[in-house]
Amino acid sequence: LREGEVEALNLPSRKYMQEGCGEPLEVQKRVDIATKGWAEILSMVELRPGYRDEGRHTFTVSHTERITHVRVNLYPDGGVARIRLPGIVAIDWDEIPESQVVELSSVRLGGLALACSDAHFGRPQNLIASDMPENMGGGWETARKFDRPRVLESDDDGCLKVPGEDWAIFRLGCVGIVERVIVDTMHFKGNFPESFKLEAICSPLLSDDAVRDGSGGKEVPWRTLIQRSRLSADTEHVYDLNGRALAADFGPVSHVKLRIFPDGGVARLRILGRRTVAPEETLQHRAAIAVDH
């Protein structure tokens, strides 16, 4: 578990564990055994058998201090299939100089996929994973569109005139100046997008819902960071924005929107740059939003 703040606990049990659910009331005396030094984030709760319709448990956690390790106590014994800890990644930014170029979009630094138009073959969250995918299933791929014209024509920039597009929105782990963008179509050879466009905003205090749906009923004012550009099969496309007038004039970025034309699959999206805003301020705001919800 990376250092962060836990918002919820998810404990699903499965049918092969139906006979092993613990009974908390029978073992109340074990609550304090070997727990000295551990902060309690969830009191003892009773679990249900692992039937499909009732074996999944979700608990809201109000603990807001940073956590690096968790300990699960079962009473008296039994089995749990999975434990998931959704939360906010809290990085020790003091160890990362402001002059250092980091992957602002990385899930390891708190990057998060907020929304997408389609996730037929893969989730957009895969795009900001730290490792490389083993196959196409480790990327983000959308369903095919069947309204393409029989004769394909190109525009003045060399991009095909095709109807439709798909998109995915990402919140960066920290506000920063973007210096390099990597769009990798690794493994996607016959089903990569024809082209892409990257847009961005700097609105670190907007809630995730506001970015997804628009703030106050208005559309989010996305601005173009990279103009529509052609993509190739199974290729790492690198766009160096350092020193370009566009990057200098654009300013800090908090969110990016990847638009692909007309559909297809992308393995990884990496947004690299230098942080410009104290991350703790944004983190505290996000934590406050999480508590309110």
Side-chain angles (χ1 to χ4, degrees), residues 77-234:
D77 46 43
V80 172
R82 295 289 188 275
I83 175 172
R84 306 189 188 282
L85 300 163
I88 302 172
V89 177
I91 304 299
D92 186 359
W93 289 99
D94 292 336
E95 297 182 357
I96 303 177
E98 292 187 16
S99 59
Q100 180 177 334
V101 175
V102 298
E103 188 177 339
L104 299 169
S105 57
S106 173
V107 67
R108 290 179 176 270
L109 296 183
L112 182 66
L114 297 181
C116 68
S117 60
D118 182 88
H120 192 74
F121 296 109
R123 303 180 306 135
Q125 186 73 10
N126 293 340
L127 294 184
I128 56 176
S130 58
D131 57 354
M132 296 303 296
E134 296 182 0
N135 49 52
M136 291 184 294
W140 172 55
E141 185 179 1
T142 64
R144 300 291 82 79
K145 295 178 174 60
F146 298 103
D147 55 350
R148 303 183 186 184
R150 292 186 178 183
V151 179
L152 298 178
E153 298 179 355
S154 299
D155 59 18
D156 295 338
D157 296 324
C159 296
L160 294 179
K161 297 179 180 179
V162 289
E165 66 176 83
D166 284 309
W167 52 266
I169 296 175
F170 301 87
R171 185 187 72 199
L172 303 183
C174 177
V175 177
I177 298 292
V178 178
E179 297 189 3
R180 182 178 301 172
V181 173
I182 299 176
V183 180
D184 200 326
T185 57
M186 182 180 185
H187 301 305
F188 293 96
K189 299 176 181 179
N191 51 350
F192 61 95
E194 182 270 341
S195 56
F196 86 100
K197 182 177 182 179
L198 190 67
E199 299 175 327
I201 57 171
C202 185
S203 300
L205 301 184
L206 279 182
S207 68
D208 291 344
D209 288 339
V211 176
R212 292 187 188 101
D213 308 325
S215 177
K218 300 180 181 179
E219 293 186 0
V220 176
W222 295 103
R223 298 166 56 201
T224 299
L225 185 60
I226 297 180
Q227 296 286 354
R228 184 174 172 180
S229 305
R230 292 289 299 269
L231 293 173
S232 301
D234 195 26

